[in-house]
Amino acid sequence: MADYADLVVSAADGLKLYARDYGPVTARALPVVCLPGLARHSADFHDLALLLARDPERPRRVLALDYRGRGRSERDRDWRRYAVPVEMNDVQQVLTVAGVHEAVFVGTSRGGLVTMALSAARPAAIRGVVLNDVGPVIDGTGLVRIRGYVGKLPRPRDWREAAEIQRELADADFPRLTAADWEAIARATWTEEDGRLVPAYDPALMKTLEAIDIETRLPELWPLFDGLKGVPVLALRGANSDILSAKTLKAMAERHPALEAVTVPDQGHAPLLKGDLAERIRDFVLRVEGIEAPAVETSQAA
């Protein structure tokens, strides 16, 4: 059996959107919808999706989306439409076509912002949220770092070199990743095209970052975050993150009555959703459903 099915949906403006569709469509368990970071795509959730979809006691449907211009979704002719409001509308279109009326949303970085926007536009769709290294306050230091490489990485000659580029870029923040981890990250950064490795996203995406004035204080999104107060939230922060600060995570926990805050050691932006961390997310989803799951400490991931 294939790991997942391909789901292709037309956005409101006709652009083709892609999503990986894991697990049984007819599963009675609550679905999970995974939304990636700025220049990432659905492959980042593969391990988590398999764990959830193939749970022997509670298999569930998992949708992992590629935003427009990323992964296998069609590129937009206007880079200005690589924006959270447009991507939020695209997510709603995918949910409608897939017949998903409510779900737990797992949002990594940009995906968390899209989820918070969705809580204002379609609150009934959200039963629970996992925010992976993102909150209502974005650290400008991290944005400067991301702006320094999106659309600007050297073109690798092969997958080994691609993995090495990724390792050199982020090894200081992820000191314990294995060679296999770096290769997996590389394979979600580039794709093969006519025998060459090219970015798995539209290079024009870099223009959205160039338009941000880092010198001015970035707007805070507490009103959008407050839209999540009615649902359980699992907030993950990489201990080495330069996007979500420990101060902001603490403020989120103080502000939200049902937020579980987790700091992931030896990882930066954003923690890899696999292994023990994937199991923690599985247990969180079970608790959202009202099914007993093992209690966990809230200060640090195993």
Side-chain angles (χ1 to χ4, degrees), residues 59-90:
R60 68 184 70 246
R61 189 181 187 188
V62 180
L63 293 178
L65 280 64
D66 290 353
Y67 304 128
R68 58 179 59 211
R70 286 80 139 188
R72 294 173 61 181
S73 286
E74 189 178 355
R75 295 181 178 183
D76 201 312
R77 294 181 179 179
D78 182 358
W79 63 267
R80 297 170 185 81
R81 293 182 61 77
Y82 296 143
V84 168
V86 176
E87 291 156 7
M88 184 266 293
N89 287 332
D90 288 346

Side-chain angles (χ1 to χ4, degrees), residues 191-198:
T191 187
E192 292 189 70
E193 187 177 288
D194 298 326
R196 300 178 303 138
L197 296 187
V198 297

Side-chain angles (χ1 to χ4, degrees), residues 38-288:
L38 174 69
R40 309 297 297 178
H41 58 87
S42 53
D44 283 343
F45 300 101
H46 186 65
D47 293 289
L48 173 64
L50 287 182
L51 178 71
L52 297 172
R54 295 179 177 177
D55 188 317
E57 296 183 4
R58 195 76 176 164
R60 68 184 70 246
R61 189 181 187 188
V62 180
L63 293 178
L65 280 64
D66 290 353
Y67 304 128
R68 58 179 59 211
R70 286 80 139 188
R72 294 173 61 181
S73 286
E74 189 178 355
R75 295 181 178 183
D76 201 312
R77 294 181 179 179
D78 182 358
W79 63 267
R80 297 170 185 81
R81 293 182 61 77
Y82 296 143
V84 168
V86 176
E87 291 156 7
M88 184 266 293
N89 287 332
D90 288 346
V91 170
Q92 293 194 75
Q93 186 73 2
V94 172
L95 295 179
T96 298
V97 173
V100 173
H101 305 292
E102 58 179 6
V104 172
F105 287 78
V106 179
T108 293
S109 192
R110 174 79 153 219
L113 301 182
V114 173
T115 300
M116 285 190 279
L118 189 64
S119 74
R122 195 171 174 177
I126 301 176
R127 285 278 301 276
V129 173
V130 178
L131 295 176
N132 185 21
D133 213 59
V134 65
V137 180
I138 306 298
D139 192 325
T141 303
L143 279 184
V144 170
R145 176 182 56 80
I146 293 170
R147 188 165 68 176
Y149 71 78
V150 170
K152 302 173 183 178
L153 290 175
R155 184 165 294 176
R157 291 169 293 184
D158 53 36
W159 288 115
R160 181 178 178 179
E161 185 172 296
E164 183 60 20
I165 291 172
Q166 286 295 323
R167 189 192 66 77
E168 291 179 356
L169 187 67
D171 185 57
D173 291 335
F174 294 85
R176 296 193 179 185
L177 295 193
T178 65
D181 290 329
W182 290 118
E183 181 172 343
I185 293 171
R187 288 183 179 273
T189 304
W190 290 278
T191 187
E192 292 189 70
E193 187 177 288
D194 298 326
R196 300 178 303 138
L197 296 187
V198 297
Y201 56 87
D202 185 349
L205 192 62
M206 65 185 290
K207 295 181 181 179
T208 67
L209 296 172
E210 291 172 346
I212 298 174
D213 184 0
I214 301 296
E215 299 301 320
T216 63
R217 185 178 178 86
L218 297 172
E220 298 185 357
L221 305 176
W222 289 110
L224 285 181
F225 175 76
D226 288 342
L228 302 178
K229 283 186 176 180
V231 299
V233 172
L234 173 61
L236 310 176
R237 175 182 181 268
N240 301 327
S241 176
D242 58 2
I243 288 289
L244 176 62
S245 70
K247 178 182 178 181
T248 297
L249 182 63
K250 183 175 183 292
M252 291 163 63
E254 292 172 347
R255 196 162 178 138
H256 192 294
L259 183 142
E260 177 185 345
V262 176
T263 297
V264 185
D266 297 316
Q267 298 207 37
H269 182 77
L272 276 60
L273 304 183
K274 58 189 298 184
D276 292 343
L277 198 54
E279 292 177 2
R280 190 158 196 155
I281 293 172
R282 177 199 59 198
D283 293 345
F284 170 76
V285 174
L286 288 172
R287 291 195 295 276
V288 170

